[in-house]
């Protein structure tokens, strides 16, 4: 948890050096994104073509699951309601809050055109992520 944001930048850098121009799409949770969020500013400065798609359930899901399986309270695993769109904008990236599958399709199509984009995808705690089949 936490390495995806910087890892995506590393993948983009390696691909750029190999003259591979396809975009890099990073999927992560809100807690993991928060651990590496400052790398968005680095990516913007580098001119990266990256999309970070955050599954935002306002919870540290991995830790909540771990606590629950051991009979402990998961009261410390809730994430604050972070405004990832404003955070991304403050670092020079484009960003969109996504609340439906149709919004996701539109936001992904826009984000995949170029630049650094953060897509803050609202999901219910404990629910599977939105279906991706047929979105692109």
């Amino acid at each position: 948890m936490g390495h995806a944001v910087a890892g995506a930048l590393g993948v983009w850098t390696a691909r750029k050096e190999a003259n591979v121009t396809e975009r890099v799409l990073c999927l992560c949770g809100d807690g993991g994104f928060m651990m590496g969020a400052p790398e968005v500013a680095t990516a913007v400065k580098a001119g990266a073509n990256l999309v970070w798609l955050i599954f935002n359930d306002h919870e540290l899901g991995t830790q909540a699951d771990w606590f629950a399986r051991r009979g402990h309270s998961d009261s410390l695993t809730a994430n604050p309601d972070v405004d990832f769109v404003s955070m991304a904008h403050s670092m020079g990236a484009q960003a969109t809050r996504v609340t439906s599958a149709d919004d996701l399709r539109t936001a992904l199509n826009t984000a995949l055109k170029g630049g650094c984009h953060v897509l803050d995808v609202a999901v219910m705690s404990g629910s599977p992520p939105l279906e991706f089949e047929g979105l692109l």
Side-chain angles (χ1 to χ4, degrees), residues 57-73:
D57 63 358
H58 305 285
E59 180 176 61
L60 299 174
T62 302
Q63 285 78 8
D65 182 57
W66 188 88
F67 285 174
R69 285 188 279 136
R70 285 157 182 79
H72 302 294
S73 169

Side-chain angles (χ1 to χ4, degrees), residues 80-113:
D81 189 12
V82 176
D83 185 346
F84 291 117
V85 171
S86 293
M87 180 189 292
H89 286 158
S90 74
M91 292 185 272
Q94 297 180 44
T96 304
R97 174 89 168 140
V98 176
T99 58
S100 72
D102 286 337
D103 289 348
L104 180 57
R105 180 179 292 109
T106 301
L108 266 174
N109 286 330
T110 299
L112 291 171
K113 292 179 182 174

Side-chain angles (χ1 to χ4, degrees), residues 9-69:
L9 180 55
V11 169
W12 177 83
T13 302
R15 293 171 62 86
K16 180 181 174 196
E17 290 173 0
N19 293 318
V20 178
T21 59
E22 286 91 8
R23 311 250 312 131
V24 174
L25 174 64
C26 174
L27 306 178
C28 58
D30 51 321
F33 183 81
M34 286 174 45
M35 291 179 175
E39 297 304 333
V40 172
T42 304
V44 169
K45 186 175 181 180
N49 286 312
L50 277 166
V51 177
W52 291 276
L53 195 151
I54 306 166
F55 293 111
N56 189 351
D57 63 358
H58 305 285
E59 180 176 61
L60 299 174
T62 302
Q63 285 78 8
D65 182 57
W66 188 88
F67 285 174
R69 285 188 279 136

